Amino acid sequence: MDLIEQSKKLLSQKIFPRKDYYEQLDKLLESEQILVVQWQRRSGKSYTIMWYFQYKNINLEQVFFLNKELDIEWNISDVNALNSLFIDYQNEKWDPKFIVIDEIQDIKNWENFIRAKFTEKKYKIIISWSNSKLLSWDLSTYLSGRYVTFHVYPFSYAEYLDYINEQNTPQNLLSYLQWWWMPEIVNIQDKNFKYQHLQDILDSTVLKDIISRFQIRDINYFNKVMRYIADNIWTPLSLRNIQNSSKNFWWWSVSIEKISSYLDFLQIPYLIHNIWNYDIKWKKILEHNEKYYFNDLWIRNALNFSFDDDKWKLLENIVFLHLKRLWYQIFVWNFWNFKIDFVCKKANEISYFQVSYNVSEEKTKKREFWNLLKINDAYPKYVISADPLATDYRWIKHMYISDFLLNFR
């Protein structure tokens, strides 16, 4: 029982409130399904769960909360120990309303306990795990038809400003692009320490979540692929593109299959996302010229950090993540010389987005706005740029990047 009490103390800590998740969590917990909280390591999954209980002012005696990271002696290592702990809690306290288990992957045969409690239809069940040991597709094996997933993203720009207690300024926007979301990074004042801490986190994440998980032997080439993606986050890529570029730094031929596997491995712990090329005319997805974006810009910057030269590339990444946070399905439309950065779907509604660092030059303005004007439908169309004096063009909405990040919903 000491482990449960230690875990519950975490629920009483002062936690930065991520209010955008309140409504989403509320709706998902209204269902009878198991709520699975997922996303990249250190994205704040655990704290988001804890904040929810504080925000709802839920009596903690109603919560069976086990944070497996506190189980230093590995007392709860299998399903039998977990079930015994739960029975002890029922006997000493009362039957809880919520069952919450954080980092559940470290408990052998945990799915037997969760399925049994789900069948009783008495509990709201929330679990989280690390993708270093369990993969997203394992859900279909362990909990088929019994769960919904909830994704915790990095700080939005609004959250970042709230965290540092600052107003929206060009300098704070640049800081957000550079250091992104991590509180410990924000709190480190010395830039050299910031860089070192970023690199340490990247190394531990990649080594633990990917290289050891998939037993990658060609670590040097795997790192090259990561850095290549980091340098081309704004460019449609194919596996053949990456293979051809490999000839610049690798003396032997690397197979398409190996490159494809490496890209899959990078997506499993949510380090990167890919988006498909969408043919609007024929309403189908084309399996070529995908784009790749990083889930956190600090990871991308740690891999390939030349901020002054690259900040224009980062705008697409930041717009992509904001749209993901708003639950859009996102595609790219890239056909011949006709390119739309993001074609976004939510329910039956479609929106189009072009992203450019600067559209003050007439040539750039024509490229970004005229591509949207060629689309013959009435769905909303936007150009997002770093021009502070953004002005609409005909029926195309032009938004300054910070206005988009703070106000577009």
Side-chain angles (χ1 to χ4, degrees):
M1 292 301 296
D2 288 343
L3 185 57
I4 297 298
E5 296 305 316
Q6 291 178 40
S7 299
K8 282 189 177 182
K9 286 181 181 179
L10 296 177
L11 296 177
S12 303
Q13 291 181 357
K14 184 178 180 180
I15 301 169
F16 177 77
R18 306 196 66 182
K19 298 177 183 178
D20 288 346
Y21 291 110
Y22 167 71
E23 185 177 345
Q24 298 173 27
L25 278 168
D26 233 17
K27 287 181 179 179
L28 291 173
L29 285 172
E30 286 177 0
S31 74
E32 295 183 353
Q33 300 294 79
I34 299 162
L35 180 59
V36 181
V37 182
Q38 291 183 292
W39 220 235
Q40 177 191 307
R41 180 186 296 278
R42 304 180 70 86
S43 63
K45 299 185 298 294
S46 304
Y47 283 100
T48 301
I49 296 170
M50 291 188 282
W51 170 79
Y52 176 78
F53 287 104
Q54 288 186 13
Y55 196 91
K56 292 289 288 184
N57 198 27
I58 293 172
N59 182 352
L60 297 187
E61 296 299 328
Q62 295 181 318
V63 183
F64 175 83
F65 178 48
L66 172 59
N67 187 322
K68 194 65 178 65
E69 288 187 337
L70 296 176
D71 188 9
I72 299 173
E73 298 180 359
W74 283 75
N75 293 316
I76 313 301
S77 59
D78 59 28
V79 66
N80 293 327
L82 175 60
N83 192 52
S84 296
L85 183 67
F86 185 78
I87 292 172
D88 289 344
Y89 186 87
Q90 288 177 309
N91 293 334
E92 292 188 24
K93 301 287 186 178
W94 50 66
D95 207 22
K97 181 179 178 181
F98 295 88
I99 296 175
V100 183
I101 305 179
D102 199 7
E103 300 296 337
I104 199 171
Q105 77 278 349
D106 290 328
I107 303 175
K108 186 178 180 180
N109 297 326
W110 60 267
E111 65 274 12
N112 295 336
F113 174 84
I114 295 298
R115 285 200 299 257
K117 297 309 169 189
F118 172 81
T119 303
E120 294 179 28
K121 302 297 182 184
K122 295 165 56 178
Y123 311 102
K124 300 288 185 181
I125 302 175
I126 305 173
I127 63 174
S128 77
W129 68 44
S130 167
N131 269 32
S132 62
K133 295 185 179 179
L134 289 174
L135 309 181
S136 298
W137 54 70
D138 291 330
L139 283 172
S140 59
T141 301
Y142 295 137
L143 302 174
S144 58
R146 303 176 178 91
Y147 69 94
V148 291
T149 56
F150 177 74
H151 294 157
V152 177
Y153 288 87
F155 275 175
S156 67
Y157 184 44
E159 288 177 317
Y160 175 78
L161 292 176
D162 193 17
Y163 185 85
I164 65 175
N165 195 27
E166 294 278 355
Q167 299 297 312
N168 172 34
T169 66
Q171 186 57 44
N172 283 333
L173 178 62
L174 286 176
S175 176
Y176 179 63
L177 285 170
Q178 190 169 10
W179 302 118
W180 202 236
W181 66 279
M182 292 187 65
E184 56 262 46
I185 295 297
V186 175
N187 293 332
I188 297 174
Q189 300 302 314
D190 187 284
K191 284 191 176 182
N192 292 324
F193 290 151
K194 282 182 187 283
Y195 293 139
Q196 185 59 51
H197 192 45
L198 286 171
Q199 192 61 56
D200 291 344
I201 293 172
L202 175 62
D203 289 344
S204 63
T205 299
V206 171
L207 288 173
K208 185 171 183 180
D209 287 357
I210 303 177
I211 292 175
S212 63
R213 175 66 171 84
F214 297 103
Q215 300 180 350
I216 295 174
R217 297 180 181 178
D218 200 349
I219 297 175
N220 194 9
Y221 183 71
F222 179 77
N223 287 328
K224 295 284 188 182
V225 171
M226 273 200 303
R227 293 180 186 279
Y228 183 79
I229 297 298
D231 195 43
N232 292 276
I233 55 176
W234 57 284
T235 307
L237 297 174
S238 68
L239 296 175
R240 188 67 64 186
N241 293 148
I242 301 172
Q243 184 186 49
N244 290 338
S245 71
S246 301
K247 296 175 183 178
N248 295 327
F249 52 77
W250 222 245
W251 64 271
W252 66 76
S253 177
V254 180
S255 70
I256 290 289
E257 290 75 16
K258 175 179 279 191
I259 296 170
S260 178
S261 296
Y262 285 176
L263 292 175
D264 287 341
F265 297 161
L266 286 167
Q267 291 176 72
I268 285 166
Y270 304 109
L271 284 181
I272 65 171
H273 305 273
N274 75 318
I275 56 176
W276 299 96
N277 190 23
Y278 185 65
D279 189 323
I280 298 175
K281 180 178 180 181
W282 300 106
K283 300 294 187 294
K284 64 181 180 180
I285 295 173
L286 306 176
E287 297 184 9
H288 65 273
N289 288 333
E290 300 172 49
K291 281 187 176 182
Y292 295 89
Y293 296 98
F294 278 77
N295 192 58
D296 284 298
L297 291 185
W298 66 264
I299 290 181
R300 185 267 167 192
N301 292 341
L303 284 168
N304 196 352
F305 196 62
S306 179
F307 185 70
D308 289 337
D309 295 331
D310 288 356
K311 57 180 179 288
W312 64 274
K313 296 180 182 180
L314 305 183
L315 287 188
E316 274 195 34
N317 205 131
I318 201 175
V319 169
F320 166 80
L321 284 170
H322 187 68
L323 293 169
K324 286 284 287 184
R325 192 179 289 108
L326 297 175
W327 297 78
Y328 280 98
Q329 288 182 282
I330 306 174
F331 305 92
V332 58
W333 186 10
N334 187 46
F335 188 73
W336 293 83
N337 293 322
F338 186 38
K339 178 177 76 71
I340 302 298
D341 291 326
F342 300 124
V343 180
C344 301
K345 297 178 68 177
K346 185 187 289 187
N348 293 321
E349 294 297 314
I350 295 175
S351 299
Y352 304 96
F353 298 86
Q354 291 284 77
V355 185
S356 177
Y357 189 74
N358 188 300
V359 293
S360 59
E361 294 184 7
E362 193 62 28
K363 180 180 178 180
T364 308
K365 180 179 290 187
K366 284 186 176 181
R367 182 183 69 240
E368 303 300 342
F369 284 93
W370 280 73
N371 280 357
L372 291 172
L373 290 171
K374 292 176 185 176
I375 304 173
N376 189 24
D377 63 34
Y379 290 122
K381 301 170 181 65
Y382 303 88
V383 170
I384 315 299
S385 77
D387 299 274
L389 300 177
T391 55
D392 296 350
Y393 185 79
R394 295 171 72 173
W395 59 83
I396 310 298
K397 180 71 174 176
H398 184 193
M399 298 186 73
Y400 179 42
I401 181 64
S402 62
D403 293 335
F404 171 76
L405 295 174
L406 293 173
N407 301 316
F408 184 84
R409 293 289 182 268

